[in-house]
Structures are given as structure tokens and as C-alpha cells.
């Protein structure tokens, strides 16, 4: 045999020399769940490495992550049912606990990057990402609400605004609103190809944000479609997105790959709650070795073409790599 691919695999050094994909902590984003109050640190049963944390615990957690070298965070609010209404008023109300917490985090730990979530669902009494009228999720009436939310978040100190709502035209509307309010340096990470997926369950448990009626299929994408993801990406890039995201990640590696091939805009991938929960549950049963299966999973997302990976495992990944 003249060609023996195994020769290049014979030692850690030869494997190291030819390794094609390198994942580092710089590529990772750690999502965190913020709840109003003090000294709250509640484990989320369906995603038991994640916690609902009050601001004191969030600050502590960010500090710990920062010492490990993680500097990017996505923060999601858990809003009391009594504060929810049809138009998500609380999302842009001044003194909203989420916005106040962001100001505090930014003033105490300035050299980190905070990414927001723009969608109505955490604040909506209907539990949908858009404005609901007669059971229908209306696109255009949702846009001004999202803009107000985005401007309030930029004002609070978010570095990157993350529209996750899948309304048409939201990136352009938000870009204009940010620019008009003097936030031309605030970036937009658009949830470009966000699929109507069964893998968001634990997240909706965490936020208590599941739709009260119906599903999200008239705005989130059909898992069967790939060309539609390219169209969404084209629109988002034209409308001024700084990052285009695919979500979920593992079942959509082909979409990540296509977006990376077709566009120059950096690609983010969201390794969502249900995808993490699957690994945790299998590991808990002793069916998988989490310390091996988890890094393999994140690496595969990177190899598919993601520049940025949002994962609940970000901190654990860095801890594992530190110990090597
Ligand atoms: C809100 C939002 C969701 C997620 C991120 N932002 C839930 C949804 O669209 O129903 C899911 C993230 C995860 O499952 O980890 N629009």
C-alpha cells in the first residue's frame, strides 16, 4: 500500500499537526437566565447545568466565567406572569429589572460582551414572539415593539442585539431604530434561520414562555427547508445583520455549512437547550461519556462552519480544556 492514512494518526503529535478544526473559548457564548430578586439560584430541572439566577449570582457567575476566559454572554429574562401583557410593554419599560441588571453588569464588569434577546415571548401574555390578534401572529404591528425593545436594550448597555422573533423586516427596522438613537456601534446578531423546533423545550420551561395557544410554525422555519434559510440569510445581510445565526445547531449542520459557504457575514450557531439536555440525560444514565461527547458535539458545530457557538456547555468546555 502506498497510501496509509493511518500513518498520520499514529501519535498525538501527528494528529495535532494535521488537525483541521480548532475551537477556542473566544468562539463560545455562555447563555444565562436572569430572574428578578436577590439570592436566587434555582436549577432548571430539564436543563440541570443551567440556573435561574438573580443579579447577585449572575455577577458572580460572569466573574467566574471571565476568569476562565469566557467573555461573551447571552442573557435571558424570566418575567413574572403578572407583568406580561399583549404588547410586551414591560420589555421597554424603564427600570425593568432586566435592563437595570444589564447596566449593573456593564458598570461592574465592563470588558465583556453582552448579547440580548429581542422577541416578545418572555413578556407576552400570549407567549408568542409577535403581536397576537384573533389567534394570528401579526408581522408589521410587531416591528415597532421590537424596535422599542432593541433601543431600550442598547441603552442599557448591550453590545449586540439578538432578534430571535423571525418577523419579516425586523433587522432593517431595528438597525434604523438603533442608528436613529445614536447606537450605530451596537451590533445585530440575527436569528436568521431559526427553525420551529422541538428542541426548545427546556428553555421554555426556564422562562415559562411556552405559547398559550398554537405553535410557532407561521414564523419559525419548517425543519424541511434549506433554500429558505439562504433567502432569510440574504435578507438579513441586506438589512444590516452583523452575524447570521442558525438555530438549533446539531440537526442543522448542513444549514450552518451552506450559510458559511454562501455569505461573508460571520455565522453563529445556537446549540439549544434540548440539544444540551439530550447529552445530559444520556450521560446521567451512564450511556454516554459527557466529557467526550460534549466537546465532540461543539467541535462538529465548528467544523460545519460556525464562527460563533452559543452553548449552555461553554463554561464546562473551557473547564475541561483547562484541565488538560
Ligand atoms: C425566544 C427564544 C427561544 C430560544 C431562544 N430565544 C425560544 C423559542 O423561540 O421558543 C430557545 C433557546 C434554547 O432552546 O436554548 N424567542
Amino acid at each position: 500500500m502506498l497510501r496509509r492514512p493511518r500513518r498520520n494518526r499514529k501519535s498525538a503529535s501527528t494528529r495535532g499537526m494535521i488537525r483541521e478544526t480548532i475551537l477556542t473559548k473566544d468562539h463560545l457564548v455562555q447563555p444565562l437566565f436572569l430572574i428578578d430578586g436577590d439570592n436566587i439560584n434555582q436549577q432548571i430541572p430539564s436543563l440541570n447545568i443551567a440556573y435561574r439566577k438573580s443579579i447577585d449570582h449572575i455577577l458572580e457567575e460572569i466573574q467566574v466565567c471571565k476568569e476562565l476566559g469566557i467573555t461573551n454572554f447571552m442573557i435571558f429574562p424570566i418575567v413574572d406572569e403578572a407583568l406580561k401583557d399583549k404588547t410586551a410593554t414591560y420589555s421597554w419599560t424603564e427600570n425593568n429589572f432586566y435592563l437595570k441588571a444589564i447596566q449593573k453588569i456593564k458598570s461592574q464588569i465592563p470588558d465583556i460582551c453582552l448579547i440580548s434577546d429581542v422577541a416578545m415571548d418572555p413578556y407576552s401574555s400570549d407567549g408568542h414572539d409577535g403581536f397576537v390578534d384573533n389567534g394570528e401572529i401579526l408581522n408589521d404591528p410587531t416591528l415597532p415593539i421590537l424596535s422599542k425593545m432593541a433601543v431600550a436594550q442598547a441603552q442599557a448597555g448591550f453590545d449586540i442585539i439578538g432578534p430571535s422573533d423571525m418577523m419579516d423586516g425586523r433587522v432593517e427596522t431595528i438597525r434604523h431604530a438603533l442608528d436613529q438613537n445614536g447606537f450605530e456601534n451596537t451590533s445585530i446578531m440575527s436569528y436568521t434561520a431559526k427553525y420551529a423546533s422541538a428542541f426548545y423545550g427546556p428553555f421554555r420551561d426556564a422562562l415559562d414562555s411556552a405559547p398559550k395557544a398554537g405553535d410557532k410554525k407561521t414564523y419559525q422555519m419548517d425543519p424541511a427547508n434549506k433554500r429558505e434559510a439562504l433567502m432569510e440569510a440574504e435578507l438579513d445581510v441586506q438589512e444590516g445583520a452583523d452575524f447570521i445565526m442558525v438555530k438549533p445547531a446539531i440537526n442543522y449542520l448542513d444549514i450552518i455549512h451552506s450559510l458559511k459557504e454562501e455569505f461573508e457575514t460571520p455565522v453563529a450557531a445556537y446549540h439549544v437547550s434540548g440539544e444540551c439536555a439530550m447529552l445530559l440525560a444520556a450521560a446521567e444514565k451512564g450511556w454516554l461519556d459527557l466529557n467526550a461527547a460534549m466537546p465532540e458535539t461543539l467541535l462538529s458545530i465548528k467544523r460545519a462552519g460556525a464562527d460563533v457557538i452559543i452553548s449552555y456547555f461553554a463554561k464546562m468546555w473551557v473547564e475541561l480544556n483547562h484541565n488538560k
Side-chain angles (χ1 to χ4, degrees), residues 31 33 47 74 76 117-122 127-129 162-166 191 194-195 197 199-204 207 209-211 216 219-220 247-248 270-276 310 312:
F33 296 109
L47 186 66
M74 237 178 214
F76 295 98
D117 182 52
V118 171
M120 287 177 64
D121 56 341
H128 276 287
D129 296 19
S164 70
D165 53 278
M166 288 304 276
Y191 288 58
K194 178 173 179 180
Y195 286 88
S197 168
F199 289 86
Y200 307 148
F203 177 96
R204 293 180 193 168
L207 262 63
S209 65
K216 299 193 173 186
Y219 48 107
Q220 298 181 349
K247 172 183 176 185
Y270 198 141
H271 182 227
V272 299
S273 58
E275 298 180 297
C276 295
I310 301 117
Y312 301 93

Side-chain angles (χ1 to χ4, degrees), residues 57 108 114 116 118 134 157 166 175 193 240 285 290-291 298 306:
H57 284 276
Q108 293 194 14
L114 296 183
S116 77
V118 171
N134 261 330
M166 288 304 276
R175 187 67 269 161
K285 278 187 166 287
L290 188 65
N291 291 350
L298 296 193

